Amino acid sequence: MGGALLTVLAPLAAMAVLAALGLWAAGASELPSGAFPHVVAAVVLIAAGGSVDVSGQAGELADTDAELTLMPLSVTLVGALVAGACFLRPLRHRAVAGAGELLGRTALTAVLWIAALAVLGTFARHTFQVAQPDSPVDIITGLLDATPTVGFRPDTGPTLLCGLLWLLGVLLIALLVSRAAALPAALLRFQEAVRPAASAMLLLLLAYVGVGLVAGLVVAATKGHPAETFAVLLLGLPNVVWLALGLGIGASWEGRVQGPFGLPMPQALDAVLRGEETTTLDVASLAQQDGRAWWLIPVAAVLLIAAAFTMAARSAPSTRPWQHALRFGAAFALTLLVVIPLTRVVARLGLSVLGVIELDELGGQVLLEPRLWAAVGLGLLWGLVTGLLGGLLASRTRRHHGAVPPGRERDGEGGAHRRRP
């Protein structure tokens, strides 16, 4: 019971702290009507897989249209890492774990998680006015009794269901990437093929986050506007860097930016997408705004080869290079199938008076839709090539250092040497 409770409360606490800091840096503490703690709760709920409906009202003479689909992946990533570490802690340094034990701990954790999300949902709701003092728009809406309000509240059913799926996915991935956690005896034969590739994918994603964090700190120190930069780092760093990963392998997105809204970092993204028409975002269009975008391609190649080498080094020496290529290609394609949809952004706020007059100063939209299956196909191709290169490099390194005596091989990942019959 204590372990399951820790697995639920620790990630939620870490997510709440990170969300509060990021929202404070973004200026959300100045929202009217004491909205800040409610916004923090809503962000944590969204980061944990929940769904929050955004709605608006503007009196009898005006209509509003509001929508928001955006996952704060910095908060999500921290919650997933903490939840996975807490769940795996009792399983470390053991040879085998019983299937009943794993299912029991997972079920208890899931029940407590759903209860925690339900409680969090009671705080993740609020309504406040959207106003621009001394603005002509604010004067007009005041005269017509059409001052717009925006509210949010959780969609309870989808929130609990998607939150449960988020938790189960996190626990499954934690078991896949861990090199020390015990598994049921029936699954031990699969760990050699799965765990090195899964852990390499996690290292790849974290490497991108690390590079992005360093770049963000440099920007905050040298380019000004540190509060806005820290808001992006604390709330949406993986949104940016995992987008960069996709762009580096040739993936593309369709998007549009209109009105006062925008994509916070880097500004080249906003420049590519801003306009009335839908635009394709890829490394070429981004390079037209900032030539340094071409560096995304060699960075992707280097980090993928490094991840493939890590996977091959942690695999049995008897594994062939073509097997490394297949495993790495499949793992990278599956990773993109999960990660790329998380970069989707839909943000819309519109206000019209009498159904005719559009008040653009209070309206706008940001749309960013990935071309998912093209990205997955490119990921498979890149994974096959870099997986083969990483496997060949690992084999050459082993031969050079003589890591395994002739006639011996390892019994799976982390296993002892045994002599071949």
Side-chain angles (χ1 to χ4, degrees):
M1 181 67 177
L5 192 61
L6 180 66
T7 304
V8 170
L9 295 182
L12 288 178
M15 295 164 79
V17 170
L18 193 66
L21 290 174
L23 290 169
W24 175 77
S29 59
E30 300 177 2
L31 289 173
S33 306
F36 182 69
H38 302 281
V39 175
V40 171
V43 169
V44 173
L45 205 62
I46 294 171
S51 174
V52 174
D53 292 333
V54 180
S55 60
Q57 295 181 354
E60 297 180 356
L61 299 178
D63 295 320
T64 60
D65 177 31
E67 181 182 0
L68 177 63
T69 301
L70 173 63
M71 180 169 279
L73 290 180
S74 292
V75 183
T76 299
L77 179 62
V78 166
L81 292 174
V82 174
C86 291
F87 183 77
L88 294 177
R89 188 172 59 90
L91 300 175
R92 293 186 179 277
H93 310 300
R94 292 168 51 185
V96 178
E101 175 191 359
L102 279 180
L103 291 176
R105 292 188 63 236
T106 301
L108 180 58
T109 304
V111 171
L112 295 175
W113 181 258
I114 292 176
L117 292 184
V119 173
L120 188 63
T122 62
F123 295 96
R125 57 186 71 211
H126 198 71
T127 300
F128 53 90
Q129 291 185 349
V130 180
Q132 295 182 353
D134 303 325
S135 167
V137 172
D138 195 54
I139 296 173
I140 293 173
T141 56
L143 291 173
L144 295 175
D145 191 24
T147 301
T149 62
V150 174
F152 56 88
R153 58 184 298 143
D155 194 352
T156 304
T159 290
L160 296 182
L161 176 59
C162 294
L164 175 61
L165 294 177
W166 181 90
L167 175 70
L168 296 178
V170 166
L171 300 185
L172 175 61
I173 292 172
L175 285 172
L176 291 178
V177 302
S178 173
R179 302 178 62 204
L183 289 175
L187 300 180
L188 292 178
R189 56 178 174 165
F190 299 109
Q191 68 176 348
E192 172 58 32
V194 174
R195 277 186 161 174
S199 61
M201 289 300 102
L202 177 62
L203 289 175
L204 173 67
L205 296 179
L206 292 180
Y208 263 89
V209 172
V211 172
L213 179 60
V214 172
L217 293 176
V218 171
V219 169
T222 60
K223 301 296 184 181
H225 307 290
E228 291 84 349
T229 302
F230 276 108
V232 174
L233 296 179
L234 293 169
L235 294 174
L237 177 58
N239 299 70
V240 177
V241 296
W242 294 345
L243 177 71
L245 168 60
L247 292 172
I249 65 169
S252 60
W253 281 253
E254 296 288 338
R256 181 172 66 253
V257 175
Q258 292 177 298
F261 300 157
L263 294 171
M265 186 179 78
Q267 293 182 351
L269 289 176
D270 187 276
V272 171
L273 298 175
R274 186 164 294 278
E276 298 293 330
E277 302 295 330
T278 299
T279 305
T280 298
L281 172 67
D282 55 21
V283 69
S285 62
L286 190 61
Q288 292 178 0
Q289 302 294 329
D290 189 339
R292 293 173 297 179
W294 291 115
W295 281 100
L296 294 177
I297 298 175
V299 168
V302 169
L303 291 181
L304 279 168
I305 291 175
F309 174 81
T310 301
M311 180 200 72
R314 292 176 174 178
S315 300
S318 58
T319 307
R320 305 299 182 189
W322 65 267
Q323 291 176 307
H324 291 309
L326 289 178
R327 292 173 183 177
F328 194 77
F332 189 42
L334 289 173
T335 299
L336 293 181
L337 187 61
V338 174
V339 168
I340 292 297
L342 300 179
T343 63
R344 179 175 181 262
V345 178
V346 178
R348 182 183 295 111
L349 175 62
L351 173 65
S352 63
V353 179
L354 302 175
V356 176
I357 305 173
E358 297 288 340
L359 301 182
D360 293 334
E361 289 187 38
L362 288 177
Q365 62 177 333
V366 178
L367 302 175
L368 190 62
E369 297 278 358
R371 293 175 174 172
L372 176 59
W373 294 110
V376 172
L378 287 167
L380 177 61
L381 179 61
W382 273 76
L384 290 172
V385 174
T386 55
L388 180 62
L389 293 176
L392 292 173
L393 184 59
S395 298
R396 187 169 184 176
T397 302
R398 280 197 181 102
R399 288 196 300 268
H400 181 267
H401 292 285
V404 180
R408 290 179 178 263
E409 61 183 14
R410 282 191 180 272
D411 241 347
E413 184 183 342
H417 291 302
R418 64 180 176 87
R419 184 174 299 276
R420 288 196 297 263

